[in-house]
Amino acid sequence: MNSSTLINDQKTATKLSPEDYSGLEKELDALRERTLAKVGQVDADYIRKIIRIERWSGIAGRIVMVLGFFNPLLWVAGVALLALSKILNNMEVGHNVLHGQYDWMNDPYINSKTFDWNIVGDTESWKQVHNYEHHTYTNIIGKDRDFGYGLLRLSNDLPWRLKNTWQIFTYALLSLLFEWGVAYHELAGDRAFSKKVPPKNRRPRLSKENLRRAFFSKAGKQLFKDYVFFPLISGPMFLPVLLGNLTANLIRNLWTSTIIFCGHFTEDIHTFKEEDCQNETKGEWYYRQMLGSSNFEGKRWFHILSGHLSCQIEHHLFPDVPAHRYIDMAPEVRQIAEKYGIPYNTGSFTTQYLTVLKRIMKYSFPQKETHNPTSLA
């Protein structure tokens, strides 16, 4: 990393020496190896238990929703159970399985190559953009497409445009329709549905035709299931079930969006320049992941519903480690961060979320300064 690697305009970060980067790499590698050595039956039992809860809450939710014919409160309970099922499917199961955290089980269902989740986004497109691009080039402006999702200006690395003035409303709409926003974004929809030519450093592996086919195929299946099939088999409860499915999807969207933003766009998150991350060592990569992510605290159930992305720092350091182990790894990661003088960005969920809103509002308007690189000298 060069001395101008960090573009952060919030706080400065301590420069590490080459020896420190090497030490950081060794200590985090050792933590990863110690944790992976423990992975086994406990982890298999855990993820299978979560999948059982996800499936039964989904089945119970759809049945109870239909019983809303007798009492509207049953419809409310059914929607809540279905939303719970969708959240578990997307966060603790889908996100983590698609990262390959459970591929070692050799279970044909719980495998990143075969798993498909209960969301409109195509898994292959998601694995390309999220697993590879986002996790490799985290917060490198121009390389990490997840930074702001092409809709929001979240640092002064990007030029201000008039549309940024009302981006708080854009954020609210994105949160409500998050699964659609992610599906379009991970598909690289701005290129798949237009004649726009992607930059040379970001050529997709799939053709536009294949991308469009994947998008419509997956989205069509989800729309048919939620808004045609289940309402139809509910007979006279067609409309309440359709509205219930829509409500459960909106609840899931708001939850996942909030969790993702609290892990990536809190006030003190750092951004980076592409040219300064070339020839990056693994120690420097670890350093960048720690500065580009943020955690939030909560009860055990809260961590599970977040897919353990409440430990976003640990997830970015160890994306292939079963996520439920991040809570045990976090204290040691924090100690290592303190040892090397690296900021460890964490706080209560409310505090972190408020800083997300603050960041969105701050960059809604042009700033006088352009960059304020953190000095590593």
Side-chain angles (χ1 to χ4, degrees):
M1 258 185 203
N2 300 327
S3 61
S4 58
T5 294
L6 303 176
I7 300 177
N8 176 47
D9 56 2
Q10 305 296 323
K11 290 182 179 179
T12 57
T14 303
K15 175 191 176 183
L16 300 189
S17 67
E19 292 75 21
D20 285 341
Y21 283 127
S22 177
L24 179 67
E25 175 183 338
K26 289 177 181 175
E27 294 200 44
L28 290 175
D29 278 350
L31 173 58
R32 177 178 179 275
E33 292 306 314
R34 286 198 302 275
T35 304
L36 286 178
K38 301 175 187 174
V39 171
Q41 192 60 46
V42 170
D43 303 83
D45 292 344
Y46 172 80
I47 194 63
R48 285 181 173 132
K49 179 181 178 181
I50 294 296
I51 291 173
R52 285 196 297 275
I53 295 173
E54 172 228 324
R55 288 176 174 172
W56 280 110
S57 60
I59 293 171
R62 294 193 184 281
I63 293 173
V64 174
M65 199 189 303
V66 174
L67 297 178
F69 178 79
F70 299 103
N71 188 326
L73 290 179
L74 290 173
W75 180 87
V76 174
V79 170
L81 284 168
L82 184 58
L84 171 64
S85 174
K86 288 174 177 285
I87 287 171
L88 288 174
N89 175 277
N90 290 178
M91 304 298 277
E92 185 69 330
V93 181
H95 174 270
N96 296 330
V97 168
L98 289 175
H99 263 292
Q101 294 176 5
Y102 298 94
D103 284 1
W104 54 271
M105 291 171 59
N106 293 319
D107 185 310
Y109 176 72
I110 311 172
N111 191 288
S112 63
K113 296 181 177 62
T114 57
F115 188 85
D116 195 11
W117 51 4
N118 188 1
I119 193 172
V120 296
D122 171 61
T123 55
E124 290 302 317
S125 300
W126 187 83
K127 284 189 288 187
Q128 165 67 17
V129 173
H130 178 86
N131 284 8
Y132 176 66
E133 291 187 10
H134 170 60
H135 275 271
T136 303
Y137 305 114
T138 307
N139 288 17
I140 297 178
I141 301 302
K143 296 281 284 186
D144 181 5
R145 297 179 64 246
D146 280 12
F147 193 80
Y149 295 101
L151 293 172
L152 306 175
R153 179 178 182 263
L154 297 174
S155 75
N156 60 14
D157 308 309
L158 301 174
W160 179 83
R161 298 179 180 178
L162 181 61
K163 68 176 184 179
N164 299 129
T165 306
W166 53 83
Q167 67 177 10
I168 190 66
F169 299 105
T170 305
Y171 163 67
L173 184 61
L174 173 64
S175 294
L176 277 173
L177 304 175
F178 197 59
E179 67 168 326
W180 288 99
V182 170
Y184 184 85
H185 175 76
E186 309 293 9
L187 174 77
D190 56 336
R191 296 193 293 269
F193 294 109
S194 73
K195 296 181 180 180
K196 186 177 180 181
V197 177
K200 291 182 180 179
N201 64 349
R202 204 190 296 155
R203 291 292 168 85
R205 293 179 302 174
L206 301 176
S207 66
K208 287 186 177 183
E209 291 72 22
N210 285 334
L211 286 171
R212 286 195 292 263
R213 189 179 301 114
F215 176 83
F216 286 118
S217 174
K218 185 63 198 300
K221 289 176 184 176
Q222 287 296 122
L223 288 172
F224 176 77
K225 182 180 71 173
D226 280 341
Y227 304 118
V228 178
F229 178 73
F230 282 113
L232 276 178
I233 64 172
S234 302
M237 288 294 288
F238 177 92
L239 188 57
V241 167
L242 186 149
L243 292 176
N245 290 344
L246 175 63
T247 306
N249 282 333
L250 292 177
I251 293 171
R252 183 272 317 280
N253 289 347
L254 286 171
W255 176 259
T256 54
S257 168
T258 303
I259 296 298
I260 298 301
F261 272 70
C262 284
H264 292 93
F265 308 124
T266 50
E267 187 177 15
D268 294 330
I269 287 297
H270 291 245
T271 55
F272 308 87
K273 291 191 291 188
E274 179 180 353
E275 60 269 27
D276 290 330
C277 297
Q278 294 174 353
N279 302 317
E280 190 179 51
T281 67
K282 190 174 182 182
E284 291 169 336
W285 182 85
Y286 276 140
Y287 183 61
R288 180 162 54 81
Q289 301 302 320
M290 297 173 83
L291 293 179
S293 311
S294 54
N295 287 4
F296 51 86
E297 299 151 4
K299 302 287 187 182
R300 180 71 179 178
W301 62 267
F302 197 74
H303 291 296
I304 294 173
L305 291 181
S306 77
H308 286 90
L309 295 182
S310 49
C311 299
Q312 192 70 242
I313 296 172
E314 286 69 29
H315 175 58
H316 265 265
L317 292 173
F318 315 110
D320 58 342
V321 171
H324 73 105
R325 291 188 175 273
Y326 293 156
I327 293 177
D328 294 332
M329 302 175 79
E332 193 166 344
V333 171
R334 188 167 188 166
Q335 288 178 1
I336 294 171
E338 290 173 354
K339 176 180 177 180
Y340 290 97
I342 303 171
Y344 189 85
N345 188 342
T346 189
S348 71
F349 174 72
T350 302
T351 300
Q352 295 291 61
Y353 185 60
L354 288 175
T355 71
V356 169
L357 298 179
K358 183 178 178 181
R359 187 171 193 128
I360 293 172
M361 290 301 298
K362 176 179 179 179
Y363 293 106
S364 298
F365 307 100
Q367 280 85 42
K368 293 180 180 178
E369 74 273 21
T370 52
H371 293 321
N372 182 22
T374 298
S375 173
L376 299 182

